[in-house]
Amino acid sequence: MGFNPLHERGIPLDRQLRNWSELNVTPYDTRSVHPYTRCRVIFMNGIEVESIINSHNFTRHTADVGVKQKLAMMRRVEQQQQKAVNWLIPGDESTLARTIGYEQVAVDLTSWLARHEPDPYLKKVYEFALLEDFDHLYRYANLMDLLGEGRLAQDITGDLTEILPGRPTIFQHRDPHEELNRPMTLTAASPQSVMNAITITAAEQQTMNFYMNVGNIPEHPLARSMYLEIAQIEEQHVSHYESILDPTLGWLTNQVLHEYNECWLYWSCMQTEVDSRIKALWELHLNMEIEHLRVACEMLREVDGIEAESFLPAQGLPEPLKFEPNKEYVRDVLQRTIEWTSWDSQFVPITDLPSDHRYFDYQRKVNAGGVPTEDVIKQHREKHGGEYRFATEGDHPIASLRENGPHDQLSYWQADTKATHELAGVR
């Protein structure tokens, strides 16, 4: 039997407020922290931000004063939780170092969710964006080395995540219509699918928010331009993932699902954390969230007449979400899907697109003045005689993306269409 927060007792809501010194936690040491502890901190900060934003949006769409009051109290506690988690990140961790952490989260979180996704279509949704975040990690790693920050990306990720080209970022820019996927329905979807979707939407939203707020901080022109470009992809990814959520849910049902998701994720972090001090924080927040879930279920019953047990899994979720190496899996996805693009909620080889497809028109517009994510690789080659890569499992599985193979990373994508050949000319 898995963990079922409905069967647990949490901390009463009126005992959950903490003082400033309790919230102003000691940050981790950026040089010695375990890479996956950093990932969990980044990840759970994003989960809390999503919870707060969702609660604010709910409040703006209800006239029920009683519901507003309960949301306000839980939201105040969620804000305290977010501060405690976010304040674990030290001030001496550079924006680029934190960015490497964000992209490691994206790679290994998305891989775990895809591996544990029971729905074949949703699995494709995850695998499609996985290769794009994998490429972002590689681009930022080259930027870090190019700018001479005094540490390499592998010093941050450890030997847990490879740093290699994925689907080239230049080809990730698509017409907004292509980011809209088929939504699931709560009644037909597996509980694991529902939790996976809420989780990835929150995580990608946090990455989008991060780049929206810090992308203009670097002083180097190439860094500013590259953050700008990749920030647009993160917006695409939020649209990509939020489109698979059930859009018909009532606000209270949605609130219950969010609280259940937080319980599962804090429990997951508690099960896998290696830092005892931070593990204690995950456990504290879990006990708070169990009470938030109870309150949300109570509101759902009293206002909408719905029992949460009617859609939540009776046995709980079977296993904790884990940050763990996914090297073999990512390589498999590369081999199977490197040439995919999206077209009306389907994923197809780029060679299947007609020459007049809107994808090519969009590409011409946004890539017309040069492409920063390509420029960073070019400049790294010119300065260091090659690219920055970190491979532990051998050569890149795609021959055209090997450093000792054809240097033109676009060669794999050269379709027999006039539009694609014109597009390659942006370099």
Side-chain angles (χ1 to χ4, degrees):
M1 180 181 295
F3 171 67
N4 190 340
L6 294 176
H7 296 164
E8 305 292 334
R9 293 185 63 183
I11 299 172
L13 198 55
D14 60 5
R15 290 171 46 198
Q16 293 192 9
L17 290 176
R18 287 169 282 174
N19 63 44
W20 310 129
S21 61
E22 291 174 305
L23 296 174
N24 192 18
V25 297
T26 302
Y28 59 68
D29 183 340
T30 185
R31 296 284 178 173
S32 63
V33 65
H34 191 284
Y36 284 153
T37 293
R38 177 190 283 106
C39 285
R40 280 185 283 270
V41 170
I42 291 171
F43 171 57
M44 291 311 298
N45 183 43
I47 295 299
E48 286 295 353
V49 170
E50 160 64 19
S51 174
I52 294 161
I53 292 174
N54 181 71
S55 177
H56 276 297
N57 282 324
F58 184 0
T59 297
R60 296 169 192 176
H61 290 82
T62 181
D64 190 314
V65 175
V67 170
K68 283 179 179 285
Q69 290 173 338
K70 289 178 180 178
L71 288 174
M73 183 59 198
M74 291 193 293
R75 189 168 61 245
R76 188 64 56 86
V77 174
E78 301 278 9
Q79 279 282 2
Q80 289 201 339
Q81 290 175 329
Q82 186 271 332
K83 300 302 179 290
V85 174
N86 198 24
W87 262 240
L88 287 169
I89 300 173
D92 63 350
E93 189 165 80
S94 72
T95 297
L96 253 179
R98 196 177 305 182
T99 299
I100 297 297
Y102 266 80
E103 295 300 345
Q104 185 176 29
V105 169
V107 171
D108 285 324
L109 172 65
T110 311
S111 294
W112 192 94
L113 295 174
R115 286 168 41 220
H116 293 80
E117 178 50 60
D119 185 290
Y121 175 74
L122 296 176
K123 187 180 184 73
K124 288 183 178 180
V125 170
Y126 293 119
E127 290 185 336
F128 181 71
L130 166 61
L131 293 195
E132 303 192 340
D133 286 321
F134 188 65
D135 194 70
H136 298 168
L137 175 60
Y138 155 75
R139 307 283 163 171
Y140 281 121
N142 276 268
L143 178 65
M144 173 175 273
D145 191 35
L146 183 65
L147 298 185
E149 281 224 347
R151 63 194 305 197
L152 299 173
Q154 68 202 60
D155 298 329
I156 298 166
T157 60
D159 62 355
L160 304 171
T161 309
E162 291 192 297
I163 301 173
L164 294 167
R167 183 178 303 114
T169 301
I170 183 176
F171 288 112
Q172 297 174 19
H173 306 293
R174 295 175 292 272
D175 185 278
H177 290 86
E178 314 310 350
E179 304 311 317
L180 304 179
N181 300 307
R182 298 201 308 261
M184 69 177 76
T185 59
L186 180 62
T187 54
S190 159
Q192 185 70 60
S193 294
V194 176
M195 292 301 107
N196 287 352
I198 294 173
T199 299
I200 194 64
T201 301
E204 287 291 339
Q205 176 181 257
Q206 177 60 17
T207 305
M208 178 187 75
N209 293 344
F210 179 66
Y211 293 153
M212 288 171 69
N213 285 286
V214 308
N216 63 347
I217 290 177
E219 296 182 12
H220 195 286
L222 179 58
R224 289 172 63 88
S225 62
M226 201 171 96
Y227 271 96
L228 185 150
E229 181 189 353
I230 293 180
Q232 287 294 102
I233 299 299
E234 299 305 337
E235 193 286 324
Q236 289 183 195
H237 283 180
V238 177
S239 297
H240 174 79
Y241 286 126
E242 69 188 7
S243 67
I244 65 176
L245 298 168
D246 186 340
T248 68
L249 299 181
W251 280 102
L252 281 167
T253 298
N254 185 53
Q255 184 69 25
V256 167
L257 290 172
H258 273 72
E259 300 296 356
Y260 189 93
N261 184 250
E262 285 189 88
C263 289
W264 175 53
L265 295 178
Y266 273 123
W267 173 74
S268 296
C269 289
M270 190 180 73
Q271 299 298 309
T272 54
E273 184 56 69
V274 296
D275 184 308
S276 58
R277 179 177 66 91
I278 296 177
K279 180 176 181 176
L281 184 65
W282 303 145
E283 184 175 12
L284 173 64
H285 286 188
L286 169 61
N287 287 321
M288 292 177 172
E289 294 300 345
I290 289 171
E291 175 68 2
H292 297 179
L293 174 61
R294 187 196 66 78
V295 173
C297 291
E298 183 181 78
M299 289 193 294
L300 179 65
R301 182 186 310 112
E302 293 177 353
V303 177
D304 288 350
I306 299 173
E307 295 290 341
E309 289 83 354
S310 67
F311 57 85
L312 292 177
Q315 302 301 318
L317 289 170
E319 61 180 298
L321 182 151
K322 296 179 183 177
F323 280 96
E324 58 190 4
N326 293 277
K327 301 174 188 178
E328 183 178 334
Y329 180 73
V330 173
R331 284 173 171 262
D332 175 64
V333 177
L334 280 164
Q335 288 181 306
R336 290 187 287 106
T337 70
I338 185 65
E339 65 175 353
W340 281 4
T341 190
S342 56
W343 183 7
D344 284 342
S345 76
Q346 296 297 323
F347 306 103
V348 300
I350 193 172
T351 51
D352 286 2
L353 300 184
S355 60
D356 61 349
H357 194 276
R358 61 192 174 219
Y359 170 83
F360 299 112
D361 182 55
Y362 189 85
Q363 283 269 305
R364 290 190 195 94
K365 290 175 180 175
V366 299
N367 291 331
V371 185
T373 52
E374 289 294 310
D375 291 342
V376 71
I377 304 302
K378 178 182 178 182
Q379 290 189 29
H380 195 284
R381 288 175 183 156
E382 291 173 350
K383 182 176 180 179
H384 296 290
E387 304 167 21
Y388 173 83
R389 298 182 178 216
F390 181 70
T392 63
E393 310 302 304
D395 286 339
H396 198 292
I398 306 300
S400 62
L401 293 180
R402 293 172 188 163
E403 195 167 11
N404 59 356
H407 265 199
D408 184 357
Q409 293 182 26
L410 310 188
S411 60
Y412 195 86
W413 284 67
Q414 298 314 300
D416 293 328
T417 67
K418 182 174 181 290
T420 308
H421 282 296
E422 290 176 351
L423 175 59
V426 302
R427 291 190 72 193

